[in-house]
Amino acid sequence: SQQGEEDPQALSIQEGENATMNCSYKTSINNLQWYRQNSGRGLVHLILIRSNEREKHSGRLRVTLDTSKKSSSLLITASRAADTASYFCATDAMDSNYQLIWGAGTKLIIKP
Amino acid sequence: EAGVAQSPRYKIIEKRQSVAFWCNPISGHATLYWYQQILGQGPKLLIQFQNNGVVDDSQLPKDRFSAERLKGVDSTLKIQPAKLEDSAVYLCASSRKGNSSPLHFGNGTRLTVT
């Protein structure tokens, strides 16, 4: 089953613009993680945000978590061509014995 | 630290043949995962090990898939016999503290079954 759903499925923006991706989930969680996957490569961990946190930053990345709405957003500021990748969220669902549930991802394309 | 190592990088086999994938996790990582990722989809967990014990194999097609993690370090995933729908990327990942800590992924094995 897939608890995390990313939105949009695909996003194409100009280099330099900001990119926002959203993740919604269905049940209570302990933490939510964001990963990036470049074509033909494995996933790379970006940020882990715990259920008692509302916002985290890492360089040009900002993640917010709203547990009341069961949603999270990933903001990439000042996008670069190298940010072109698929982005996935993963949640540890309390009702699934905290097993990680992955979304289908958002495919981000940065146009030069 | 060295990353998660996987081999082979690519594999092409005919249906009904068998295939094996190998994974060497990051040193000291107790949790090891095997995921199947079909093009355009998120990873699907096949099996999760904690040291050399199985934590979750509920989505592993046990009639054809098997995995082991001897001595709690390296792991192998085997498919026998392969079906066309097994064509996918097989990703290995490891983490220090299970699902509450970041997963580190290898670059995967791309399997094509013809």
Side-chain angles (χ1 to χ4, degrees):
Chain A
S1 63
Q2 289 198 328
Q3 145 142 292
E5 292 186 5
E6 289 91 343
D7 166 59
Q9 287 188 322
L11 179 62
S12 180
I13 61 173
Q14 292 294 138
E15 193 168 19
E17 293 181 339
N18 295 342
T20 300
M21 289 157 273
N22 303 296
C23 171
S24 60
Y25 56 93
K26 298 174 184 173
T27 62
S28 297
I29 61 172
N30 270 337
N31 62 66
L32 183 147
Q33 303 182 50
W34 283 94
Y35 288 80
R36 182 189 74 234
Q37 185 176 35
N38 292 91
S39 181
R41 306 298 295 270
L43 286 80
V44 174
H45 179 262
L46 297 175
I47 288 182
L48 182 153
I49 186 165
R50 303 201 184 278
S51 60
N52 61 353
E53 297 175 310
R54 292 297 166 259
E55 188 170 311
K56 283 190 88 167
H57 297 254
S58 176
R60 293 182 297 112
L61 306 181
R62 181 171 78 100
V63 167
T64 61
L65 178 64
D66 187 334
T67 53
S68 67
K69 294 182 179 178
K70 293 186 171 57
S71 69
S72 173
S73 67
L74 170 65
L75 168 67
I76 304 174
T77 60
S79 63
R80 304 168 182 170
D83 295 328
T84 294
S86 291
Y87 292 81
F88 296 89
C89 69
T91 54
D92 63 341
M94 287 185 182
D95 67 349
S96 298
N97 202 26
Y98 302 106
Q99 293 306 308
L100 282 179
I101 307 296
W102 296 80
T106 292
K107 188 174 177 65
L108 175 64
I109 296 174
I110 308 299
K111 296 180 287 186
Chain B
E1 63 182 3
V4 175
Q6 287 189 250
S7 68
R9 191 78 172 88
Y10 304 94
K11 191 73 177 179
I12 301 174
I13 61 172
E14 295 181 351
K15 59 184 178 183
R16 291 187 291 274
Q17 287 187 323
S18 62
V19 64
F21 312 126
W22 173 82
C23 173
N24 182 230
I26 292 173
S27 178
H29 282 196
T31 310
L32 185 146
Y33 310 77
W34 282 104
Y35 283 94
Q36 179 192 63
Q37 187 178 29
I38 293 172
L39 188 64
Q41 297 183 18
K44 171 189 167 184
L45 180 68
L46 293 175
I47 190 166
Q48 178 179 342
F49 292 96
Q50 182 72 19
N51 297 309
N52 60 351
V54 176
V55 173
D56 184 355
D57 63 356
S58 57
Q59 298 189 89
L60 186 74
K62 297 180 185 64
D63 58 333
R64 298 185 302 107
F65 286 63
S66 64
E68 60 182 9
R69 190 183 184 196
L70 298 175
K71 301 179 182 178
V73 181
D74 292 10
S75 178
T76 56
L77 175 69
K78 296 179 181 177
I79 307 175
Q80 182 179 15
K83 293 185 175 181
L84 295 177
E85 59 260 36
D86 298 332
S87 293
V89 175
Y90 291 84
L91 295 164
C92 178
S94 68
S95 72
R96 192 174 298 280
K97 294 181 181 178
N99 297 337
S100 62
S101 59
L103 275 62
H104 298 258
F105 284 81
N107 283 325
T109 296
R110 181 175 297 277
L111 174 68
T112 302
V113 183
T114 62

